[in-house]
Amino acid sequence: MDPRDGRQLWSGYSESAGTALYAGRALPQGPAVWSIDKSVVATEPMELDAAKAVDGGRLWRYEFPRTDYTRLAADGNRVFLMHDSKVVALATF
């Protein structure tokens, strides 16, 4: 949503940009919206996607080993991904 007037800029999935954000799992931080993709095939790694906040276009993707436990948090200019017992700190752009 546009922070100035509340109108919807984009939602959920942008096929042309190849990005998807998953309901209940999106975290806005910096100029991006971050989301953990748990829908990939069970044999593939999981993904943390960053989409441009203004239009939903893909900014970045981080792959990590498949796990049952994931958490996503943000503070300042960092996004933190916890999967199993590992924590990864990623810089926002």
Side-chain angles (χ1 to χ4, degrees):
M1 298 181 79
D2 189 319
R4 297 167 295 200
D5 61 14
R7 70 184 166 87
Q8 182 173 325
L9 297 174
W10 58 276
S11 67
Y13 181 74
S14 171
E15 188 170 339
S16 63
T19 58
L21 296 179
Y22 302 92
R25 295 183 229 160
L27 174 69
Q29 183 68 8
V33 180
W34 302 75
S35 177
I36 297 172
D37 183 351
K38 294 184 177 184
S39 68
V40 292
V41 179
T43 58
E44 296 177 357
M46 295 177 75
E47 301 168 348
L48 173 63
D49 295 323
K52 294 178 196 173
V54 295
D55 64 7
R58 180 186 298 161
L59 282 171
W60 188 77
R61 174 170 282 161
Y62 174 77
E63 292 185 350
F64 58 97
R66 179 158 292 283
T67 181
D68 290 330
Y69 182 83
T70 58
R71 295 291 182 265
L72 187 59
D75 186 42
N77 65 346
R78 297 275 187 257
V79 170
F80 302 91
L81 169 66
M82 182 174 191
H83 55 97
D84 285 333
S85 61
K86 184 176 182 178
V87 176
V88 179
L90 306 163
T92 60
F93 334 105

